[in-house]
Amino acid sequence: MSHLVRRALACLALPGVMFAQSASRENVPKASTPAPKPTRIVVGPEFLVSRDGDVAHVETMIAANPRDPRNLLGGSIVGGRPGGGFHCKTYASHDGGQTWIDRSFPELIRWGGGDPQVAFTPRGTAVFTCLAFAPDETGRVRAFLYAWRSEDGGLTWSSKPADLGASYDHEMLAVDQTPGRFSGRIYLSALYGREYKLGLFRSEDDGRTWTGPVQFTSGDDHGVNVNKMVVFSDGDLLVTWVDFPITPQQDSTWQGSHYWSAISKDGGVTFTPPRKVAPLGKGFRRSHPDIRLHSDPGFAVDPSEAHRDRLYMVWSDFTEEGPRTAFAYSDDRGATWSAPRWLDASPPKGAKQFQPRIAVNRIGTIGISFYDTRNVRDAGWHEYFTASIDGGATFLPPVRISNYPSRASGAGNERLEPLMFSGVGEGTTLALTSGASRWANGGDYLGLTSDSLGAFHSFWADARSGTFQLWSAAIQVQRPPLPRKPHPLDAYFPPDTGPPTVTRPTTAAQDVTKKLEFVFDPTVDDAASGELELRIRLKNVSTDTIFGPLRVEVRGFGGPLDSDEARKYAPTFLNATNAKSGVGAVFDFSAALGTDQMLAPGRQTSAVFWRMRLSDRRRTPSMQLVVLGTLRSAAR
C-alpha cells in the first residue's frame, strides 16, 4: 500500500479507529522491516540515433518532454551539407529513445549552421535554436540566430523560424519549469559584438516572439563566452560564463581563467554584479597538450526537498597527469563553493577524463556522464556514468555505458568539408575542416538529461565506426526508498517494497527465435578487404520477458533462394564469441541486454557487431540462425 493511501486512511480520524489504536496496542501486528536494497546504476541498451549518412555528428544536446517521458529531443551539428560544410538537425523519439526521426531545416541546409540547442516548455512545446551562416543585405556572411517551435514533440516544426538577428555565437537555452510567476519563460544567452558582450533573450509566449538581448557582462580586453544557465525553484535565473585570453601575448601572461556567474531575479530583465565561481585549473592553457579535449562546464540545480536549490558544477580539470572530471557544489546560489574534488580520486595511470555532463532528476539523484580513456588502446575512449544520491557527498563507482570504444581519427571523421567565408580579409576565404580537426572531443558540449520519471538519458557523439554518430542510452539509478516519518497506521499494513521483483528463470536455454525480430544498424562494407560488418539488434516482439544468457547460433548456410553450390561461398566469421568461423558460430547478446539482463516486450538490445570475410559477395548464401534464451518462470 502506498504512502498516500496510508495518509489518506489516517486523515479519516474515525473515533472507533483512534480508540482501537489507544486501547488495543497489544493486538497491533508488528511491521516487518525489509533490508534496504543497495543503490545501483542500471544501464539500458544503447541505441544508434543518427541513421542519416556516414558524416560527422558532433556537439549534441538532449531534452525530455515534461509531459511525456517517452518524448525525447536531440540536436546536433551534422556534416555532409549538400553545399559543403556542416549544418544542424534535430532528432526526436516518442518511444523513450529506441527509435529516432531526424529533421532538417531549409535555412540551415542552404547556409550551414552550428551551436544547436533544444528544450521543452512546461506546455510540452519543443524549442530548437541554431546559428545560420547567411549573408546580410550587404552580402557579408554573418551568424544569424534562429529559433523554431514544434507542438508535436519534434516531428514537425514551424515553417518560419523567429529571426533574432546577427551576429551571435555559442547560444545557450534554458526554460523556467517552476510554477512561479515566470513559469514557461524561455531564456537564450549568446555572445555578440566586437567587445565580447554577453546578453540574454527571453520569450514570454512559448517561443513565438523574443525580447533582447539584455547585456549582463562584457569581456573588455579579454574573451568571455556563455556557459549553461539554470533556474532555481523560485524562478531566479543563474547565467554563467568563462573568461580567457584572446591573443598569444595575453596567453603567455594569463594568470588563469575563471568561471563567473550572475543572477536575475526579475525574469531576465536585470542582473546582479558578476562573481567568480571557480578556477579552471593551473594546467589550462591553449598550449596544453590536451587542450583539444576541453569542453564547456556543466551546471545543474537540485529540485529535491533534501537539497533544494543546491547548485552543482562539473568541469575538466587540466592537470599535469591529464584532464580529470572535477565536481563542486554551492548552497548559496553560487556565492561560495565546496572545495573542488575529482570524481575519481585514483584513475588508472595515463587515463584521461573529459566531456563531463551533469543532470539532476526529480528526487535529487545526480547523474554525471563523461568520456574516459581507461582500458582503451590507441587513443580511444568509452562513455561512462556515475551518480550520487546524497547531494554530491559521495558518488557510485563509474559504470561504462558504451559497448565499443570511440576513436576520433577514423576515416569518416578525417573527411574534410569545405567552408566558404566572405567579408573576412580580402576576397573570399575557403576553409577545410573535419570532425576530427575541429571537434576531436565530440564538440564543445554533449547531451545528458533526466525525464519526468527520473531516468537519465545520455546523448553522445560516438566514433566506434570511425565517424562520429549519435548514440543514446537510458540509465536508471535504483536507490533505497527515501526516509519518511513513521505513521500510527504503519503496523496495520505491509511496508512498500517497490515494484514487483521478477523471479529469474531456472530452466535451461530454449529456442526463442520466433519471439524476436532482427533489427539492423547501418552495415559497414569494406570491398577492398572483402570484410563485412553487420550490426545486429534483437527486438522482443512477444508478450514474454526474455532473459539472458541470450545467444544467436549459426546452424547452417543456404536457403530457398540459394543455389545448391551457394554453400561453397559461405562467409568466414572473424569475431564469433566461441571463435568458430562457420557453422556453429555463436554471437553472445547477453551484454547487449543491459545491466538487468532482461528484454521486456517491445524493447531492443544494443547492437552486436558481426564481422565476417566474404568469399564472393555476389554468391554469399543465406544463414540459418537460432536464438537461445530463457523465459520468465514466475513473478509476484
Side-chain angles (χ1 to χ4, degrees):
M1 181 175 293
S2 70
H3 301 151
L4 292 178
V5 174
R6 294 176 185 168
R7 292 178 180 175
L9 289 173
C11 291
L12 293 175
L14 296 177
V17 174
M18 298 306 294
F19 177 80
Q21 286 194 57
S22 60
S24 303
R25 285 286 181 188
E26 65 276 7
N27 297 323
V28 176
K30 294 183 179 180
S32 60
T33 304
K37 296 179 180 180
T39 301
R40 69 187 188 113
I41 297 172
V42 179
V43 179
E46 52 177 2
F47 294 101
L48 175 64
V49 174
S50 52
R51 298 172 180 265
D52 48 0
D54 185 30
V55 294
H57 297 67
V58 294
E59 209 145 284
T60 70
M61 293 294 289
I62 187 172
N65 190 336
R67 294 196 170 193
D68 182 0
R70 299 168 299 175
N71 183 196
L72 305 170
L73 177 66
S76 175
I77 297 176
V78 181
R81 188 175 72 88
F86 292 82
H87 62 127
C88 293
K89 298 176 69 173
T90 60
Y91 300 81
S93 175
H94 283 260
D95 58 8
Q98 291 196 98
T99 59
W100 298 78
I101 297 174
D102 62 275
R103 290 290 181 260
S104 299
F105 298 81
E107 298 84 356
L108 303 179
I109 292 177
R110 183 179 182 186
W111 304 115
D115 293 347
Q117 292 283 298
V118 295
F120 281 97
T121 71
R123 298 179 182 179
T125 301
V127 180
F128 168 59
T129 68
C130 187
L131 302 179
F133 306 125
D136 62 14
E137 63 278 2
T138 68
R140 177 189 174 193
V141 175
R142 303 169 68 189
F144 285 81
L145 182 53
Y146 290 156
W148 288 264
R149 299 175 69 254
S150 171
E151 296 184 355
D152 58 9
L155 299 180
T156 62
W157 293 88
S158 49
S159 58
K160 186 177 181 180
D163 183 351
L164 279 63
S167 296
Y168 293 97
D169 191 19
H170 204 266
E171 89 280 9
M172 288 283 157
L173 190 62
V175 179
D176 188 334
Q177 303 284 357
T178 72
R181 59 184 178 131
F182 303 122
S183 178
R185 184 167 293 191
I186 310 171
Y187 301 106
L188 188 63
S189 59
L191 166 68
Y192 63 100
R194 296 181 179 273
E195 303 81 16
Y196 281 90
K197 296 178 181 178
L198 301 182
L200 186 79
F201 292 92
R202 65 183 186 274
S203 174
E204 302 173 36
D205 56 5
D206 211 41
R208 293 178 176 84
T209 62
W210 296 80
T211 301
V214 176
Q215 180 179 326
F216 55 82
T217 193
S218 65
D220 297 325
D221 62 343
H222 60 273
V224 291
N225 209 352
V226 289
N227 294 140
K228 186 175 175 62
M229 298 179 289
V230 297
V231 180
F232 294 102
S233 62
D234 58 1
D236 282 4
L237 171 72
L238 180 94
V239 295
T240 66
W241 66 94
V242 63
D243 59 18
F244 54 89
I246 56 177
T247 66
Q249 182 178 2
Q250 286 182 345
D251 191 54
S252 64
T253 60
W254 194 253
Q255 296 301 310
S257 293
H258 286 78
Y259 296 117
W260 297 76
S261 71
I263 291 178
S264 174
K265 295 179 175 296
D266 53 11
V269 178
T270 62
F271 293 86
T272 61
R275 57 190 181 191
K276 289 183 180 179
V277 174
L280 273 70
K282 296 181 180 179
F284 182 78
R285 289 288 187 278
R286 289 187 296 183
S287 58
H288 194 284
D290 292 318
I291 192 61
R292 295 181 70 199
L293 303 183
H294 177 67
S295 60
D296 291 349
F299 291 88
V301 167
D302 196 323
S304 68
E305 182 178 350
H307 302 287
R308 178 83 68 194
D309 287 334
R310 176 170 284 186
L311 178 63
Y312 303 111
M313 177 182 178
V314 291
W315 71 98
S316 292
D317 188 12
F318 280 74
T319 71
E320 295 180 358
E321 295 81 10
R324 299 284 184 266
T325 297
F327 170 84
Y329 65 85
S330 170
D331 284 323
D332 51 15
R333 308 197 177 198
T336 60
W337 289 81
S338 66
R341 61 186 177 90
W342 295 349
L343 289 183
D344 190 345
S346 55
K349 185 176 181 180
K352 299 176 182 180
Q353 299 171 333
F354 56 105
Q355 275 289 14
R357 300 295 97 194
I358 185 170
V360 185
N361 70 10
R362 58 187 178 84
I363 61 173
T365 302
I366 306 169
I368 296 177
S369 63
F370 56 94
Y371 287 153
D372 199 313
T373 64
R374 72 181 66 198
N375 302 324
V376 182
R377 300 177 180 177
D378 305 325
W381 64 82
H382 275 289
E383 173 86 338
Y384 278 78
F385 180 89
T386 184
S388 173
I389 64 169
D390 54 13
T394 61
F395 281 87
L396 298 173
V399 174
R400 200 180 77 189
I401 300 175
S402 54
N403 288 334
Y404 296 89
S406 287
R407 291 181 174 87
S409 57
N413 284 341
E414 297 287 357
R415 187 180 302 118
L416 292 172
E417 294 275 0
L419 296 175
M420 297 299 300
F421 297 94
S422 60
V424 180
E426 297 182 3
T428 190
T429 300
L430 169 63
L432 296 175
T433 190
S434 69
S437 65
R438 171 59 181 85
W439 298 282
N441 61 347
D444 292 343
Y445 44 80
L446 297 179
L448 179 69
T449 192
S450 63
D451 62 33
S452 58
L453 298 180
F456 293 91
H457 298 271
S458 181
F459 192 76
W460 73 97
D462 189 297
R464 66 186 65 184
S465 67
T467 305
F468 279 125
Q469 296 286 352
L470 304 178
W471 288 74
S472 180
I475 306 156
Q476 294 275 0
V477 181
Q478 295 182 351
R479 55 188 290 177
L482 297 178
R484 66 178 186 87
K485 296 179 180 180
H487 192 274
L489 291 183
D490 283 348
Y492 286 94
F493 304 101
D496 290 330
T497 57
T501 57
V502 178
T503 302
R504 299 283 165 174
T506 57
T507 57
Q510 54 193 291
D511 186 345
V512 294
T513 308
K514 294 183 178 180
K515 297 181 181 294
L516 295 164
E517 178 181 279
F518 283 71
V519 179
F520 295 89
D521 285 359
T523 299
V524 177
D525 189 352
D526 187 347
S529 66
E531 292 187 7
L532 182 74
E533 185 176 86
L534 298 179
R535 300 172 178 185
I536 301 176
R537 302 175 183 273
L538 299 177
K539 181 178 180 180
N540 187 351
V541 294
S542 74
T543 57
D544 295 316
T545 297
I546 301 173
F547 294 88
L550 186 64
R551 300 183 177 92
V552 179
E553 182 178 342
V554 180
R555 292 285 178 89
F557 293 99
L561 301 180
D562 297 315
S563 64
D564 293 338
E565 64 175 6
R567 294 180 181 86
K568 296 191 302 183
Y569 303 100
T572 300
F573 296 111
L574 304 177
N575 69 329
T577 305
N578 61 353
K580 289 190 176 183
S581 60
V583 174
V586 172
F587 292 87
D588 194 341
F589 279 72
S590 300
L593 289 170
T595 309
D596 57 5
Q597 287 293 287
M598 57 185 288
L599 191 63
R603 306 303 293 178
Q604 298 180 31
T605 69
S606 295
V608 173
F609 292 9
W610 293 29
R611 290 179 50 241
M612 62 192 75
R613 182 175 293 111
L614 303 180
S615 173
D616 186 333
R617 62 181 54 247
R618 295 186 179 183
R619 301 183 183 182
T620 302
S622 305
M623 305 177 197
Q624 304 303 316
L625 308 177
V626 172
V627 187
L628 300 175
T630 49
L631 300 178
R632 177 170 52 195
S633 60
R636 72 165 179 82

